[in-house]
Amino acid sequence: MKEITVQEVKKSLENSKKLNLIDVREVAEIQEGHISGIINIPLGLLEFRLHELNKNTPYIMICRSGGRSGQATEFLSYHGYDATNMVGGMLAWEDKSK
């Protein structure tokens, strides 16, 4: 499974790089805080919304801690999509000590 760190994602965004971020948390979790510009597809709906994704587009998968996004990354990769898991998820994103 491909992985990317929170620091790598932040640096790319700071450099105005276009990233395709998919947050697989539930809607209520998203409302508590999220990265600007994400697409929200809850993990339980991912298989039903595959038609919205392009196999030629790289996606970075995000969740609270990296577990659900890891599952989503494996699922998408299995189906031929270019998916990368953001290690540590939003907990690492919001950790002020990093």
Side-chain angles (χ1 to χ4, degrees), residues 4-6 9-10 13 19-26 29-30 33-43 46 59-73 76 83-94:
I4 190 168
T5 67
V6 165
V9 172
K10 284 184 177 184
L13 291 173
L19 299 178
N20 300 291
L21 306 171
I22 299 178
D23 197 319
V24 296
R25 295 178 295 159
E26 297 298 319
E29 293 175 280
I30 297 291
H34 62 274
I35 301 169
S36 180
I38 57 106
I39 300 167
N40 177 223
I41 303 177
L43 182 60
L46 188 57
Y59 296 100
I60 297 174
M61 309 308 293
I62 301 166
C63 71
R64 181 176 175 271
S65 64
R68 285 176 282 177
S69 57
Q71 291 175 34
T73 300
L76 289 176
T84 303
N85 185 32
M86 187 176 86
V87 179
M90 290 304 293
L91 291 176
W93 184 271
E94 295 169 351

